[in-house]
Amino acid sequence: MKRLPATIPLLVISTFSSSVLASVQYTTCLPTPLLSSPIPTCPLESDGSFWSPTPWCPTPSDGYESGPPDCIFTTPHIRNQGLSVITFPPLAAALISPALDDSLVPPPFRRFNTSAEKWKIAPLPNRGLGLVATGNFKQHETIMVGFPVLIVRLEFINGDRYSAKNKRRMLDVAVGNLPEETRREVEGLARSNPSNEKDWVVDVLRTNGFGIEIAGEGHLALFLEGSRVNHNCRPNAFWRWVPSKMAMEVVALRGIGKGEEVAHSYAPLGYTYEQRKAVLQPWGFQCQCALCAAPAREREAADDRRDRILEIYQTLGKAAELGSVERVDQLVREAMMLIEKEELQPQLVEYYAHFARAYIELNELKKAGVFIQRADEMWLLYGGEEHENVDGMSELWKQFAEAVSEMEED
């Protein structure tokens, strides 16, 4: 049972400009999978030679009305597993280079899950299949590099531009285009509603998909091995998305020993017990991790700490009203202690930046600079070089530089 993105921070593909959608030229292209009609029209920027079989796009005869259509694109052999994409044609075209150009992929992202990996997929008591370490991993060591086999635009699934029947047919074709071994692995992934055989692909995606963005457009991405990483509210791993390589890294949040299950959180870190239950409800299971299965008094104490962390965050947002740097110092120390106690270190990407903004507001610039630097380091660690907040950190450094300049002028 898997997840939409839950690890903090949310990772986003920021590589492709949204302007690509506006630049597409419509040309004649290829047959639709929905009807055996003559060759329809379809918007592709090229002859589609990268994709095989030939890309398919819906037409008005398929019940599709206006605007750029979602089309099916498949490359069956890439990265030893194949990939099918259902999205707007300009976004599919943008994926070809550099994200799907293996000649541009550095060696660490060419592992393709070889026999040298220090993990295995194995059955676990009351948890189905899961990822188990077969060796030791140091804190922040990369455990796995995975690649998607299916990417589907989120609004294609949730919207009403296509009938349920046509969505089903397009999804069936997208999976059917993949190599036989990959198809079997997709069919074997967990489902939240296994009785609904007609919509099994949607069920697999919603149960196992990771949320990503391409040019600001939400998509669900399906990773075969990544889908076997189970949930824990106090995880020992996190995942980060590398958009320019189309790669998902699973990374050790702490040291992991041989024989230990690798798990990450499907719910946002920092949520209380009831909040986590609500987030996990669509997956149809009740978490029995050590945090959730703890005695009620321990759970309530953890919830109190998490509520207090959020309260401190909100209070620091009005640092000028606190009246003194000493009070900010006190709240910062308390927040960091509670974050450590609750093992919420990935949240430091945001909290360090928030501490810095509070100190800037009080013109305590030496401390502000320290926390901006720490925030930068945390973003690189938990989000990678292509993390979603590159622009936000640049803006924070700019705000800091302006405050320094103003102080020097005074």
Side-chain angles (χ1 to χ4, degrees):
M1 292 173 285
K2 302 297 175 265
R3 83 301 302 144
L4 294 177
T7 310
I8 295 177
L10 174 65
L11 306 180
V12 178
I13 298 183
S14 57
T15 304
F16 311 122
S17 167
S18 57
S19 64
V20 73
L21 284 173
S23 65
V24 61
Q25 298 296 317
Y26 294 100
T27 60
T28 300
C29 89
L30 313 157
T32 169
L34 307 181
L35 299 172
S36 56
S37 58
I39 294 178
T41 58
C42 164
L44 290 177
E45 298 73 25
S46 66
D47 61 7
S49 58
F50 177 83
W51 308 100
S52 175
T54 302
W56 278 335
C57 299
T59 68
S61 63
D62 304 317
Y64 164 77
E65 294 183 358
S66 63
D70 294 278
C71 303
I72 303 171
F73 303 86
T74 301
T75 175
H77 304 299
I78 193 165
R79 295 172 186 174
N80 299 334
Q81 59 184 16
L83 170 67
S84 281
V85 182
I86 298 181
T87 193
F88 296 140
L91 297 184
L95 289 175
I96 294 174
S97 182
L100 297 179
D101 186 344
D102 284 344
S103 68
L104 301 179
V105 175
F109 297 99
R110 294 182 192 168
R111 290 160 60 181
F112 304 139
N113 301 323
T114 68
S115 59
E117 303 290 359
K118 296 191 296 183
W119 55 263
K120 65 180 179 180
I121 306 297
L124 297 165
N126 303 315
R127 290 174 67 80
L129 295 175
L131 191 75
V132 178
T134 58
N136 297 321
F137 291 97
K138 298 177 182 179
Q139 185 181 28
H140 303 151
E141 182 180 352
T142 299
I143 299 169
M144 168 198 293
V145 177
F147 305 92
V149 297
L150 183 63
I151 299 175
V152 181
R153 196 174 68 88
L154 193 56
E155 193 57 27
F156 171 85
I157 298 173
N158 296 333
D160 58 4
R161 297 179 76 201
Y162 307 93
S163 69
K165 182 179 180 180
N166 283 349
K167 289 181 190 177
R168 191 179 304 128
R169 287 176 175 175
M170 290 182 71
L171 287 164
D172 286 346
V173 169
V175 174
N177 285 347
L178 294 170
E180 182 179 354
E181 182 178 351
T182 301
R183 290 199 306 271
R184 286 200 303 266
E185 292 192 56
V186 172
E187 291 167 358
L189 293 175
R191 306 182 201 175
S192 300
N193 186 19
S195 62
N196 185 358
E197 285 295 331
K198 286 185 177 180
D199 295 311
W200 75 271
V201 181
V202 170
D203 194 7
V204 165
L205 275 167
R206 286 178 170 160
T207 305
N208 300 277
F210 290 75
I212 63 172
E213 289 187 5
I214 304 175
E217 188 73 35
H219 290 68
L220 282 181
L222 186 66
F223 300 82
L224 294 176
E225 290 83 7
S227 294
R228 298 301 187 184
V229 182
N230 287 319
H231 165 78
N232 193 304
C233 294
R234 277 199 172 134
N236 58 13
F238 64 96
W239 74 281
R240 62 189 176 204
W241 176 242
V242 187
S244 64
K245 313 298 185 296
M246 291 290 287
M248 178 191 72
E249 295 180 292
V250 178
V251 183
L253 186 56
R254 58 168 174 78
I256 298 174
K258 181 179 179 180
E260 189 176 353
E261 182 185 5
V262 176
H264 70 167
S265 179
Y266 300 1
L269 295 180
Y271 270 24
T272 63
Y273 177 65
E274 292 298 330
Q275 289 171 331
R276 297 194 306 274
K277 279 178 62 178
V279 171
L280 296 174
Q281 189 275 331
W283 283 281
F285 72 94
Q286 185 168 351
C287 182
Q288 294 297 318
C289 74
L291 181 61
C292 291
R297 181 177 296 179
E298 292 182 25
R299 287 204 310 266
E300 290 167 3
D303 285 352
D304 288 344
R305 288 190 289 268
R306 290 162 183 243
D307 284 339
R308 177 57 179 158
I309 292 169
L310 181 58
E311 182 182 7
I312 292 172
Y313 186 95
Q314 294 168 341
T315 301
L316 288 174
K318 303 175 182 178
E321 298 178 10
L322 296 175
S324 71
V325 173
E326 290 74 17
R327 179 57 178 153
V328 172
D329 289 342
Q330 182 184 33
L331 292 172
V332 166
R333 286 194 298 269
E334 182 183 0
M336 291 178 65
M337 181 271 292
L338 292 171
I339 288 171
E340 181 72 22
K341 178 71 173 177
E342 287 301 300
E343 301 179 30
L344 301 174
Q345 287 84 356
Q347 287 197 321
L348 290 172
V349 297
E350 178 55 36
Y351 276 83
Y352 280 159
H354 199 59
F355 299 160
R357 285 189 285 268
Y359 282 121
I360 289 173
E361 192 169 348
L362 295 177
N363 284 322
E364 186 66 27
L365 300 185
K366 183 176 180 179
K367 292 178 180 178
V370 169
F371 280 109
I372 296 174
Q373 183 61 46
R374 290 181 184 178
D376 246 346
E377 292 168 356
M378 289 296 101
W379 272 111
L380 287 172
L381 174 61
Y382 292 110
E385 293 182 358
E386 301 173 46
H387 66 78
E388 65 171 270
N389 200 38
V390 171
D391 291 342
M393 287 306 304
S394 295
E395 184 61 32
L396 185 55
W397 277 115
K398 179 180 178 182
Q399 182 183 354
F400 172 72
E402 291 173 350
V404 171
S405 179
E406 289 177 5
M407 177 172 284
E408 290 173 347
E409 289 176 1
D410 292 340

